[in-house]
Amino acid sequence: MRTANQYYRQRFGCKVYKLSLDGGFTCPNRDGRLGIGGCRFCSGAGSGEFASAGKGVADQLARAKKWVEKKCAGGKYIAYFQSFTNTYAPVERMETMFRAAMEPEDIVGLAIATRPDCLPEETVALLARLAREKYVSVELGLQTVHNDTARAMNRCYDTDVYFDAVRRLRNAGLEVVTHLILGLPGESREAMVESARQVAAAGTDGVKFHLLHVMADAPLAEDYAAGTFRCLELEEYGEILAECLRQFPDTAVVHRITGDGARRGLIAPMWSLDKKRVLNYLNDLLSGYGLLDQRGL
Ligand code: SF4
């Protein structure tokens, strides 16, 4: 399996950084169309804690680039619409925004995070048109294939919708990256591995694994305070992650091996704050198993 860095270097011939953007979207399970309150694990930032604050797309891109350049010079960028559901809008509004983001020469393409139930045919057609001009990857927040967990988490769509979306996106020539959360309340190790197995079988091009973390402003904080579940320990997370990775073919791209919650507002697990230690531990474990060479992930 390849890391995202390895994949981008092969594809674009240079180091590629993702610039997180907030397009001002919301979600159908926040605005009342399907539900209110959003997914129980989701913070008020709509899973976009690291999206650049700013008004328009150009302003956000400039700020985000400045921030990256402070740490590492050189390379190119992917404009990453990260916060909330970035295809939950009229096609004309999306087209204007996405074209503005992909226009600069040093932007090699777009990554668009969304829900599989917010991909009507006209949206898929728009994304396919854009993909003929620059790279476009569609990131689907699935989190689990298990509908009982999804219902408990207020995801507000059934997993069949995801399988249908993957099929339609891939038929349109679009790249698909699937997000999975390890440690959702009530899920056994076997259940998490089964999610990975089904996602791999569906043909996702890439995968992002996230550790379930509890943020103070997420509804899940109430359940955690009530003691209805516990968070994974690092060692457990590593072993489950390894087993999940074993489900994927060599061609799959691993974009993330864990998620980072913002320091401010994190309730649990506190071990996830030591990002360097966590990544070193997971890197050593996965390379020891011969699963992934994490250098540069
Ligand atoms: S996880 Fe995604 S779909 Fe769920 S509320 Fe957050 S941004 Fe919306």
Side-chain angles (χ1 to χ4, degrees), residues 27 29-30 38-39 41-42 46-47 84-85 115:
C27 296
N29 60 350
R30 283 185 176 275
C39 304
F41 47 79
C42 186
S47 301
F84 299 105
T85 300
R115 298 164 52 97

Side-chain angles (χ1 to χ4, degrees), residues 216-280:
D217 58 352
L220 200 60
E222 290 167 23
D223 308 347
Y224 187 75
T228 59
F229 74 99
R230 69 169 184 89
C231 289
L232 295 174
E233 296 300 332
L234 173 58
E235 295 74 15
E236 290 176 284
Y237 181 80
E239 292 302 329
I240 295 168
L241 173 67
E243 193 56 29
C244 287
L245 286 172
R246 290 188 187 103
Q247 310 306 311
F248 286 86
D250 285 347
T251 48
V253 178
V254 183
H255 290 255
R256 256 188 185 284
I257 53 170
T258 185
D260 4 352
R263 178 171 290 269
R264 203 175 52 195
L266 180 74
I267 290 178
M270 297 316 280
W271 57 260
S272 67
L273 284 178
D274 192 346
K275 289 176 187 162
K276 197 168 166 202
R277 175 177 158 258
V278 170
L279 279 177
N280 284 342

Side-chain angles (χ1 to χ4, degrees), residues 88-107:
Y88 188 43
V91 168
E92 301 72 33
R93 180 179 162 214
M94 285 188 278
E95 179 153 16
T96 305
M97 194 174 291
F98 296 158
R99 284 197 181 281
M102 68 198 279
E103 191 187 315
E105 185 276 327
D106 57 357
I107 303 284

Side-chain angles (χ1 to χ4, degrees), residues 26-30 37-43 45-48 82-85 114-115 141 143 153-155 157 181:
T26 180
C27 296
N29 60 350
R30 283 185 176 275
C39 304
R40 290 193 70 72
F41 47 79
C42 186
S43 71
S47 301
Q82 181 182 17
S83 309
F84 299 105
T85 300
T114 191
R115 298 164 52 97
Q143 326 307 356
M153 290 296 108
N154 196 38
R155 192 182 67 180
Y157 68 83
I181 295 180

Side-chain angles (χ1 to χ4, degrees), residues 192-214:
M192 296 177 232
V193 173
E194 179 61 16
S195 283
R197 191 191 70 74
Q198 291 194 27
V199 162
T204 190
D205 300 282
V207 62
K208 280 190 178 182
F209 289 101
H210 302 267
L211 162 75
L212 179 78
H213 54 265
V214 183

